[in-house]
Amino acid sequence: MLKRLIWLSMDFPKATIGLVLLATLLFGIQFPKIHIDTDPENMLPVDQADRVLYNRAKQDFGINDLIVLGITDEAGMFRPDPLARVARVVDRLLGLKGVITADVISLTTSDDVRSKGGLLEVRPLMQAVPDDAAEIAALRAAIADNPLFSDKLASADGTALAVYIPIERKDQAARIGGELRAILDEELDSQQDYHLAGLPIAEDSFGIEMFSQMAIVSPASGGVLFLLLWFVFRKFTLVLPVMGVAMLTVVWGMGLLIGMGYTVHIMSSMIPVFLMPIAVLDSVHILSDFYDRYPRLGDRRAALRESIEELYTPMLYTSLTSAAGFASLLLADIPPVQVFGAFVAIGILAALLLTLTLVPASIMLIKEERLQRAIGALDHEGGRLGAVLRGFGGFAFGRAVPVALISALVLGLGFWGVSRTVVNDNPVAWFPESHDIRIADRVMNRQFGGTYMAYLLIQGDAEGAMKRPEVMRYIEKLQRVLESDPEVGKTSSLADVIKQVNYVVHDADPQSRQLPGETDELAQYLFLYETAGDAGDLDNFVDYDYRTANIWVQMRAGDNREMARVVALIDDQLRVEPPPPGIQVEWSGLTYINKVWQDEMVVGMMNAVLGGFLAVFAMMLLLFRSPVLALLSMLPLVFAITLSYGLAAFVGKEYDMPMAVCSALTLGLSIDFAIHFIQRYRLNLSRLGGDLAATNGVVFGETARAIARNAWVIAVGFSPMMFSPLGPYKTVGVFFALLMLFSGLTALGLLPGLLKLTHGRLWRQQPATA
């Protein structure tokens, strides 16, 4: 059926191109319906347990994702003018759309507990801007004297103040940040500097910048790819259909995704980057073979037909195996990863269809005379590349044993490197060191208790559970355990509020800053605080019926491994000293959620790649009808994965989300070379009567040149990604090059010797049909 379609495209080239363009138009008109989602949290299903708990915690405690604003002045912030400027900034930001004004934490909006005339008074820290040294000293002392505010609202040296800005939705963070910067530029003078930190603004900004970079990097990669193809084949009319296949594949894949109503997430935004190189692989094989055959036959139709007849089976299987590899991502329980894998797989099959129709149709529209002039004058022995490859092939074939031993040693080093892999990620680290967000992260986490928010939920089984003294003492102990970790800068809880009330009502006696031992006394302090202040002053720390409490955990680092270490620290404490009866302890918060989805993604991608590996191996068994040949065909994939990730570990690159995504890329690219090499090897071996040396010489003609061209074109063609300021693009660009290097070297340098060593004993010589 598919072959019939190929011959029809050659018989009716104009109609074929017209139908392809019409289909492309139908897919293209779907693009205005695009819906973009830049929230990494949506990596998790909406009903995932940790995500459900986090959403419930937001409702129960009135907590929301935070933008942390820091304002610094080397001369000191505790002066009338800087304090007045901060007050105006806070007043104006309260009017920004999307800011939850009631929960903004700042000098002017946060309540302090004080004693006045023997009564408890709860009022804003800074009701009015102080205008003399005594008032300023009193303000600074009040901050330092309240554990809820020290290292949170002001730095210890007094050169920085912080404002914690809760927002309704994370996808508003970048917009709110932009509007806030405009306010700050107006209100602050040249002495003050400001920084915006926190995971929400980092994640939202990254999503926006990633889509912007996509608009730059993709065309740049496409342009370089076009120039390289022209350099290889030296005729624009032959290169244009190859680029057309790549571009139209992207339009078809993304158009179908959007048209079916799927959201374009951070993962699916990278589909074009993955499809373009895979889409050109088969086209390069067709052109390489056509260039060799056409001068001999002098008839484009005959040359095309012979090329496609010989290449049809390896192209079909490379496409099917690559599609199966990406489709295996459906095994990952991460919706955006599933969408990514499914539509890359669909795009690969679309690329095969376009390659087998658009490329032949385009060639059929080129006049014979022009083809004669363009191709007939070329060196069909491959020039310098051909000479190098023939020498390389002879060496690999003639030194089979030492090459195999050295390869085994190198593979062992790769496995050793993989064993040293450290799994870790932090969305802030996806930006370059010089980016405002990275600078803000460094400055803010040095000056304050931490901008990475996590929450430790203490859940009781009955109303009023948090009014039990033993529960409060347990919360206090958990805080001390947490603060023993170097990356936990500060914790805050209901226990701190109660201790501060006790301290104040006893005339600031340091001995009184402790939790009361009796239930009645504890309840009395809570009553005093609630009646003296606003009804919602305790919302962030305890729910309405005192069933569940919340410990705010501010961390100075948001790396997965830092969060994991803190989680393990609490787990150890829970084992050593279980909570009081009826109490459960669970983690939540954005920093913890990031750890959860990244962990699930790493595990999910590993499982998916393993599933894809097995699926590809099964297809190799079907294609080659030989377990040994199937195993040999998997070697480029094995070497590419092992050496790429082993090298990354040796140079200190941690296994993060971009690297997890790249693991799927190996399935799409590495298997191509092995299939073409082994299938063409078998075909020529049959034609040459089983002469291995002669077969090796033939395969290291056009077949080896096509493999080398593909590796070179893709590795260099996507090098512009390495110059992107965003870490994930750099990672993908480097991995394109490494995968091409390792899989190409394995196919051309190791397989000849292994085929020689195993022939006649472990796999049967048998005629291979196209």
Side-chain angles (χ1 to χ4, degrees):
M1 176 64 182
L2 186 54
K3 277 192 177 181
R4 176 61 179 161
L5 190 61
I6 301 170
W7 311 144
L8 283 173
S9 70
M10 293 169 60
D11 294 334
F12 305 99
K14 291 182 180 179
T16 298
I17 293 174
L19 288 173
V20 167
L21 294 177
L22 178 61
T24 303
L25 177 63
L26 294 175
F27 287 117
I29 61 177
Q30 306 302 317
F31 278 73
K33 304 175 185 176
I34 189 170
H35 179 258
I36 295 172
D37 175 16
T38 60
D39 186 357
E41 189 177 330
N42 289 330
M43 288 287 189
L44 296 174
V46 293
D47 58 351
Q48 198 270 346
D50 293 292
R51 190 172 180 185
V52 170
L53 179 63
Y54 184 35
N55 289 331
R56 193 173 76 236
K58 288 180 181 180
Q59 295 176 349
D60 290 346
F61 300 107
I63 55 176
N64 289 274
D65 298 316
L66 296 169
I67 297 174
V68 186
L69 165 64
I71 301 175
T72 63
D73 189 327
E74 291 185 3
M77 288 298 297
F78 285 95
R79 295 179 292 130
D81 181 66
L83 289 173
R85 293 178 184 276
V86 171
R88 290 198 298 270
V89 167
V90 173
D91 187 55
R92 291 183 63 180
L93 74 83
L94 293 177
L96 295 180
K97 183 180 179 181
V99 171
I100 302 173
T101 58
D103 292 327
V104 171
I105 301 173
S106 71
L107 291 182
T108 60
T109 58
S110 297
D111 288 335
D112 188 22
V113 183
R114 302 182 187 181
S115 179
K116 184 176 181 181
L119 299 175
L120 198 68
E121 182 183 40
V122 179
R123 62 180 178 83
L125 264 172
M126 192 172 77
Q127 287 183 303
V129 177
D131 56 9
D132 60 44
E135 290 181 347
I136 290 176
L139 172 62
R140 192 167 180 180
I143 295 172
D145 199 36
N146 191 327
L148 293 169
F149 301 143
S150 60
D151 288 330
K152 185 171 186 176
L153 290 181
S155 62
D157 61 4
T159 60
L161 296 176
V163 181
Y164 298 79
I165 307 165
I167 58 177
E168 293 175 354
R169 298 199 316 271
K170 271 190 292 183
D171 60 3
Q172 299 178 343
R175 189 262 304 164
I176 292 172
E179 294 176 6
L180 184 53
R181 288 187 184 95
I183 293 172
L184 291 160
D185 289 337
E186 291 179 15
E187 296 291 352
L188 303 183
D189 67 15
S190 58
Q191 287 184 279
Q192 286 101 41
D193 198 3
Y194 63 83
H195 303 282
L196 296 177
L199 280 174
I201 196 165
E203 292 176 353
D204 195 31
S205 298
F206 175 80
I208 292 170
E209 291 194 26
M210 185 172 184
F211 279 95
S212 298
Q213 284 292 308
M214 182 71 70
I216 298 171
V217 172
S218 292
S221 296
V224 173
L225 192 62
F226 180 85
L227 292 175
L228 288 171
L229 288 169
W230 176 83
F231 180 77
V232 170
F233 296 111
R234 302 299 178 91
K235 188 165 183 62
F236 283 112
T237 50
L238 286 173
V239 173
L240 280 173
V242 178
M243 290 304 301
V245 168
M247 300 301 179
L248 297 185
T249 297
V250 170
V251 174
W252 285 28
M254 293 302 293
L256 181 63
L257 183 150
I258 295 166
M260 292 180 67
Y262 288 99
T263 298
V264 178
H265 197 268
I266 291 174
M267 284 288 298
S268 49
S269 73
M270 297 186 73
I271 288 176
V273 176
F274 280 69
L275 281 181
M276 286 179 66
I278 298 174
V280 304
L281 291 174
D282 288 336
S283 298
V284 170
H285 281 294
I286 289 177
L287 285 187
S288 294
D289 197 271
F290 178 75
Y291 264 54
D292 275 11
R293 293 179 190 275
Y294 182 74
R296 174 171 54 84
L297 298 175
D299 182 283
R300 62 190 174 186
R301 180 183 294 274
L304 264 176
R305 194 174 183 98
E306 281 193 13
S307 294
I308 292 172
E309 285 284 5
E310 184 153 322
L311 291 170
Y312 178 80
T313 298
M315 286 193 301
L316 178 63
Y317 272 86
T318 55
S319 297
L320 291 176
T321 51
S322 298
F326 279 98
S328 67
L329 296 182
L330 291 167
L331 299 174
D333 190 24
I334 305 170
V337 172
Q338 294 172 334
V339 171
F340 170 80
F343 282 92
V344 172
I346 291 170
I348 290 171
L349 298 179
L352 175 66
L353 178 63
L354 287 167
T355 299
L356 294 177
T357 54
L358 187 62
V359 173
S362 300
I363 292 176
M364 291 302 298
L365 292 176
I366 304 174
K367 294 181 179 180
E368 294 280 7
E369 312 86 72
R370 295 179 65 185
L371 281 173
Q372 288 283 1
R373 287 197 303 270
I375 300 178
L378 295 177
D379 177 6
H380 295 281
E381 292 299 313
R384 185 175 299 175
L385 174 63
V388 169
L389 288 173
R390 286 191 294 274
F392 185 75
F395 175 83
F397 187 80
R399 302 289 189 274
V401 173
V403 167
L405 292 175
I406 292 172
S407 298
L409 177 62
V410 171
L411 187 62
L413 289 173
F415 279 116
W416 182 36
V418 170
S419 70
R420 295 161 53 94
T421 297
V422 175
V423 178
N424 189 39
D425 204 356
N426 182 355
V428 173
W430 297 345
F431 295 94
E433 289 281 350
S434 59
H435 196 282
D436 287 347
I437 286 176
R438 289 292 291 274
I439 294 171
D441 186 71
R442 291 194 295 271
V443 172
M444 297 287 286
N445 287 295
R446 184 176 64 246
Q447 296 272 31
F448 301 101
T451 63
Y452 294 93
M453 304 297 171
Y455 304 108
L456 192 59
L457 305 182
I458 316 301
Q459 303 179 91
D461 60 359
E463 184 176 333
M466 296 304 115
K467 292 182 179 181
R468 291 158 52 191
E470 70 272 20
V471 175
M472 282 297 106
R473 286 194 294 272
Y474 195 77
I475 289 175
E476 182 184 36
K477 181 165 290 187
L478 289 177
Q479 288 182 256
R480 301 295 81 80
V481 172
L482 285 165
E483 290 170 358
S484 69
D485 188 279
E487 295 302 335
V488 175
K490 186 173 183 60
T491 66
S492 308
S493 75
L494 181 63
D496 294 316
V497 175
I498 296 170
K499 287 191 294 182
Q500 185 68 7
V501 172
N502 194 1
Y503 170 73
V504 171
V505 298
H506 287 88
D507 298 322
D509 178 7
Q511 299 299 320
S512 299
R513 184 170 270 156
Q514 58 182 333
L515 292 167
E518 301 297 329
T519 302
D520 290 344
E521 187 181 2
L522 189 152
Q524 182 181 13
Y525 289 158
L526 288 173
F527 177 75
L528 285 172
Y529 186 89
E530 290 174 331
T531 55
D534 294 330
D537 280 345
L538 294 178
D539 285 356
N540 291 166
F541 296 126
V542 68
D543 62 1
Y544 179 76
D545 59 7
Y546 284 84
R547 184 187 298 268
T548 304
N550 173 34
I551 301 176
W552 280 50
V553 183
Q554 291 178 241
M555 297 180 60
R556 293 192 173 99
D559 292 7
N560 281 4
R561 60 182 177 182
E562 307 294 352
M563 186 73 246
R565 186 180 66 246
V566 174
V567 170
L569 190 66
I570 292 299
D571 287 344
D572 290 341
Q573 176 63 22
L574 295 177
R575 282 192 293 270
V576 171
E577 187 177 349
I583 299 297
Q584 291 185 332
V585 179
E586 290 191 82
W587 278 100
S588 192
L590 186 56
T591 307
Y592 179 72
I593 288 293
N594 271 354
K595 171 193 172 296
V596 171
W597 76 253
Q598 289 166 345
D599 286 351
E600 290 203 8
M601 183 166 184
V602 168
V603 174
M605 293 295 282
M606 286 181 176
N607 291 338
V609 169
L610 177 60
F613 188 93
L614 295 175
V616 169
F617 179 69
M619 296 183 76
M620 293 303 93
L621 282 172
L622 182 64
L623 171 63
F624 295 123
R625 303 290 198 277
S626 164
V628 173
L629 286 183
L631 285 171
L632 293 181
S633 70
M634 302 299 288
L635 286 178
L637 196 158
V638 171
F639 271 78
I641 290 180
T642 305
L643 298 186
S644 297
Y645 285 89
L647 180 61
F650 277 126
V651 301
K653 177 74 171 92
E654 296 170 331
Y655 187 92
D656 54 13
M657 185 270 283
M659 288 186 66
V661 174
C662 285
S663 62
L665 187 61
T666 58
L667 297 171
L669 293 177
S670 301
I671 199 65
D672 176 273
F673 299 158
I675 290 177
H676 278 279
F677 189 91
I678 294 176
Q679 182 70 0
R680 301 289 288 279
Y681 208 99
R682 288 204 311 168
L683 284 169
N684 285 289
L685 187 65
S686 177
R687 291 168 182 164
L688 296 172
D691 189 331
L692 280 169
T695 298
N696 194 71
V698 172
V699 172
F700 271 87
E702 182 279 323
T703 301
R705 289 200 300 275
I707 291 173
R709 284 166 178 165
N710 262 327
W712 181 63
V713 165
I714 292 171
V716 179
F718 286 84
S719 60
M721 299 183 72
M722 300 181 194
F723 300 99
S724 168
L726 299 180
Y729 276 165
K730 289 180 183 291
T731 298
V732 173
V734 170
F735 264 75
F736 268 128
L738 290 177
L739 294 177
M740 291 299 94
L741 172 66
F742 293 135
S743 56
L745 281 176
T746 305
L748 298 178
L750 180 60
L751 290 184
L754 293 180
L755 288 169
K756 173 186 176 182
L757 293 174
T758 58
H759 173 60
R761 290 181 290 115
L762 299 177
W763 58 279
R764 292 182 300 163
Q765 176 191 339
Q766 53 185 320
T769 58

